[in-house]
Amino acid sequence: LLVGVTFCYYLGRTYRTQIWKPNLVQETNREKKKLLASANYRRTPIKVSEGVYKDECASSEELIVEEVFFQNSFGQYNQAENNEDDDEEEEEENEGGDSEDSKRGAPGTTIIIDFERLDPKFLSDHAQVRESFLNIVWDASESLDIAVLSVHCQVKLGVTCVAILKDGNYMSIFSEPLKKQCSFDIFIAGDKDVLDLISIAQQHLDFSKQARMRYSYKLRGTRPFSGRYTNYENDLGEILLENKDLYFHKRQIGTTQTEFQSIHVYEALSHKAQSLEGYEKSLETDVDNYYTQNPELFRPNQWLFLDGVMQSSYLGDAAYHEALVHPAMLAHSVGPKRVAIIGGGEGATLREVLKHKSVERCTMVEIDAGMVEAARNWLPWMNNCSDFGDGNCFDDKRTDLRTEDAFAWFLNRFSEDIKTPAELQTDPFDVIVMDALDPEDPVEFAVHLYNDLNFWGTILEAINDDGFLVMQLGISPTLNDPGEQFGRNYNRATLFNTIEAVGFKRVFLFEEGHSNFLTPWSYLVACKSEKCAKEWYLNEAELDLRILERILPTKSGTPALKYVDGSTIKKYRRPSSAWQAVYCRKLPRPVECATFADVKNILLQRDAFKSIFNNGTKATIAKVNMVKGTVISSMDTLIPMSPLTYNKFELGSNPINTLSQSAYSAVAWLKDWLKNCNITRALVENDFHTGKISPLLERHQYMQHMQLLEIDIEEGMELPC
């Protein structure tokens, strides 16, 4: 009995383990496939049913048989070879060499791919599934230059295969014919870029138009921060590539590495915001319905990433670029004729500028010619001016495209410290739009850019007296952020100090929440003169009229501006309460923040005092008790709000220049009357906001018309005025 059991055991091992040992290193893919087709196994397992095999010595319940399809000679290291490899690695380390393959303890990358709605005939053909997996393994090993050690497969209702590669790398596949699904996992050690493996897997497994693929590309391990995040540590990885279940139809449109940056263009459908079924219906050609009539409403979103940082998207294009360009352009008193753009290589900022009839010349200075070329090829919808112009925006007759360093371009033409040669002399601009680096970007150039007084002084000189500077400021702050000088946005805090120092007269902040950046985005508009404030505070009707008068009509008859109108720009007049809160946390603390923190009460003039006549003489009597620090206002619309009492009081929404003459008279009378009493002082001086970036002042535009009580007053007290 013992001899029989032993014999059956070893016979079973022989049946279960099929070993194929060709030397795969020197063979091409074609030769490998021939080897696969002609491989002679030592023993073929007994076939019980489709895809189920039985060992002759196994029990009837034991129907799973492991097959080792091949074992590369690389997997048969002897001790001498191992010792020799160890010696070579030690020599490399001593010499300072550190190859990627030798980094066994380095971080790695995991790719998880789920295929859905695959052809069930393909999934039921287990031999074909195994062959497809082997093809993926071979192509991947050649692409990464990593040797394959062995491949192991098990067959039951589906196929499960695992490929063991050198240095701890592996790939695996699991098919489910009944669900028409197949899952594919990859782990590659080191810092290799293995994104191409996704297309390799899709090439061998996606056999039908109905098939769907979702994948996750995730970095593993801890990587030390070296001053800037890599592509996949930035938005490209965190937002798009890592999310397998959030996005369908994830596809790379194009990628390139220019002299200055890496460029990635992707498209995908958001599971939460878009309909995959709607998109598929919009592609049908044999039906006429709402989906096929409006395919643009169901198309995938597209993203542009520079060095992994999201720059623009199809769904956020109109909101972001119209908010960047039109509020300042429409605030120009007669319409800007000369406009300059710094950056904006995708062409969308240029497109919005060229929509204005008044523009005669738009000089776009973009350092990266590769970015412009990539935008032409992969993002044509961003630089398409054909609906109101002649074609591509880069080729418009009003466009002056310069692929140069904007920093040097402006310094050479407008710096007071440099004598400008005659051939470089350029007239100033009515509007300068800066669509370049985000202030929170931790690159060295950004630090220099936002600290350079000379450059920003040159920008001021490059603007006409009634002109504007407008720029994007990156992610908007939240109510819980520290003062910007103490957080990640220290470059933005430095920029504010620089803008104030060079001499811009009025500065406005606003934000837009529909730019598809997953967070509200902030903008800055700076004026060279005080008079721009009047134009900035135009009412809705005046703004809508300017849009009709100044914006070129479209050939299609659709609105030229898809997002911005008078009502939208009206909400840009005041920064958010988060901007105010973060501003008041800076050090040293702004004067106006401290002033409002000391406000004890807010009263209307009619509720605080009354006038009586005694023997023909007018006397002023206090109607209530008032403590020092009480704010006195003459109108309901002039009650300010303390930063410490959010939502307790709210200012009126009408700008100063639209108040009635009686309101002006009431304010002037209150100030003069209380001044004669010598019991108050101005809460904020009239010129306090000049050249100052103060979200608090912009949120409460009437603060300079308030009076602050400097003494305690009791009810019934007669004032000496």
Side-chain angles (χ1 to χ4, degrees), residues 149-187:
L149 303 183
S150 63
V151 176
H152 307 259
C153 288
Q154 286 186 337
V155 178
K156 194 174 183 182
L157 295 177
V159 176
T160 300
C161 294
V162 178
I164 308 300
L165 285 70
K166 188 180 177 183
D167 292 337
N169 304 299
Y170 68 84
M171 302 181 189
S172 67
I173 190 171
F174 174 67
S175 65
E176 296 181 272
L178 297 179
K179 296 182 179 180
K180 303 180 182 179
Q181 296 177 355
C182 183
S183 298
F184 197 88
D185 292 359
I186 303 171
F187 175 78

Side-chain angles (χ1 to χ4, degrees), residues 318-328 470 510 512 523 563-564 572:
Y320 172 78
H321 290 101
E322 290 184 16
L324 176 65
V325 172
H326 298 298
V470 58
F510 65 94
E512 174 53 58
Y523 304 83
Y563 186 79
V564 163
Y572 295 157

